[in-house]
Amino acid sequence: MLYHLLAPLAKQHILFNLFNYITFRAAGATVTALVLAFVLGPGIIRLLRDRHVGQVIRAEGPASHAGKRGTPTMGGLIILLATVAPTLLWARLDTRYAVVAVAAMLWMGAIGFLDDYLKIVRGKSQGLVARWKLIGQISFGLALGLFLLSSPLAPNLPPTSTQLPVFKYQLIVFWPATYVLFVTLVVTGSSNAVNLTDGLDGLATGLTAIAAGAFAIFAYVFGRFDWTKYGGAFGTVAILLKAEFLLLIVGGVFAAETVSVMLQTSVYRWHKTRRGKEYADAHRVFRMAPLHHHFEKLGWAEPQVVMRFYIMGVLCAAIALATLKVR
């Protein structure tokens, strides 16, 4: 919005020429996001607490989480506000990159809001039924894939292609139908991976910030698409950058959390079918899934788990960024 209002005034005053620079607008968006989060965030939390909008703790979760019962939930509203508002204020709204990224953020945010709302209304740890949550995620993935086929955002690359990490000029080109399914898988998988990681205070938020910083650098190097500086749904960001496989490296911790759940569930069902529930309970792969709960069960304090996962997140981001040097 500011770009469209103030950049044309550069002809009258050179100061307004700053709005033509991506770095200036990215810095402005970052400051705006921080101000919104720190100024409006406490007020939103107080409002949620006054209305008794609190967490519902899983009965089978770690005993240390029992004290969190009633802690204000729906904090994602702060993230949505601090992401969407700066984007609309500082980004160029005449580019489809910004529109698609904001649409992804709002769509996934709406699913998360509905999930939290149902948990509060029902007073149970289960919110939106997994089937309907998947339908919402898959529908957006299909819509995004079809949109990218009909309106390619990178005219210099095949619309159904993606880059391989490390290899500078190596592309994988999908059949159109396969590409739509691939986009859907990336969107759905990344969304669920972040959701599974959201089990400890600050864990998902911190890892998201680390991944956002890494993708901001990728966006700048690949084509200076300034909208990615402001965050968004990572699956969509990776797709628009043709960097879907880099998402696995940058989000290595998210991937590990997801794999831990899939492995735990698969092995448990296998043992239960062959040898019964008691045997399956005694031969779990992890003491509890997702992975962060496993370390809690081992006796690690919550801040210790969060900090070590942060370190792993930084290492994953550094490895992904190192691929730029290899290129």
Side-chain angles (χ1 to χ4, degrees), residues 26-300:
T30 302
V31 172
T32 302
L34 290 173
V35 170
L36 288 174
F38 284 107
V39 174
L40 299 182
I44 294 176
I45 293 174
R46 284 195 300 270
L47 179 63
L48 294 173
R49 184 180 290 112
D50 293 340
R51 293 181 178 274
H52 305 289
V53 180
Q55 289 186 5
V56 180
I57 306 300
R58 293 165 54 189
E60 68 275 15
S64 59
H65 288 206
K68 297 182 180 181
R69 190 178 303 276
T71 302
T73 186
M74 288 193 178
L77 292 173
I78 301 174
I79 297 176
L80 279 175
L81 178 64
T83 302
V84 174
T87 302
L88 296 177
L89 192 63
W90 293 92
R92 287 187 56 172
L93 301 180
D94 57 347
T95 171
R96 290 175 293 170
Y97 292 102
V99 175
V100 172
V102 170
M105 191 72 179
L106 291 175
W107 185 276
M108 296 302 176
I111 295 176
F113 175 85
L114 183 58
D115 187 39
D116 284 343
Y117 177 77
L118 291 176
K119 289 178 183 178
I120 296 167
V121 171
R122 295 171 178 171
K124 299 180 180 180
S125 60
Q126 181 182 6
L128 187 62
V129 177
R131 178 176 65 255
W132 292 110
K133 189 182 298 185
L134 277 174
I135 289 175
Q137 295 166 340
I138 291 173
S139 61
F140 179 82
L142 291 173
L144 177 61
L146 293 172
F147 172 76
L148 293 176
L149 282 180
S150 60
S151 304
L153 300 182
N156 57 323
L157 294 175
T160 61
S161 66
T162 185
Q163 301 182 71
L164 284 176
V166 180
F167 302 99
K168 186 174 184 180
Y169 299 110
Q170 187 66 43
L171 296 175
I172 295 179
V173 181
F174 296 94
W175 292 99
T178 306
Y179 179 72
V180 173
L181 295 177
F182 176 66
V183 168
T184 304
L185 176 64
V186 173
V187 170
T188 304
S190 59
S191 176
N192 281 302
V194 175
N195 187 50
L196 289 173
T197 307
D198 187 17
L200 302 179
D201 292 340
L203 180 59
T205 304
L207 291 173
T208 297
I210 293 169
F215 269 101
I217 296 173
F218 283 124
Y220 193 85
V221 172
F222 289 170
R224 301 183 65 175
F225 303 136
D226 56 327
W227 50 265
T228 52
K229 182 67 178 180
Y230 318 135
F234 286 123
T236 303
V237 171
I239 290 165
L240 298 182
L241 289 176
K242 299 290 185 184
E244 292 91 339
F245 288 105
L246 275 175
L247 182 63
L248 284 175
I249 302 176
V250 175
V253 178
F254 293 121
E257 295 270 47
T258 305
V259 170
S260 71
V261 173
M262 295 172 64
L263 188 60
Q264 180 89 322
T265 304
S266 300
V267 172
Y268 180 83
R269 289 177 177 174
W270 169 261
H271 285 321
K272 184 178 179 181
T273 301
R274 293 172 61 87
R275 301 193 178 184
K277 185 177 185 301
E278 291 185 2
Y279 184 88
D281 289 335
H283 293 81
R284 295 176 185 268
V285 179
F286 304 101
R287 295 196 176 188
M288 187 176 180
L291 190 59
H292 56 265
H293 288 321
H294 171 75
F295 290 105
E296 281 192 293
K297 290 286 190 178
L298 289 177
W300 290 22

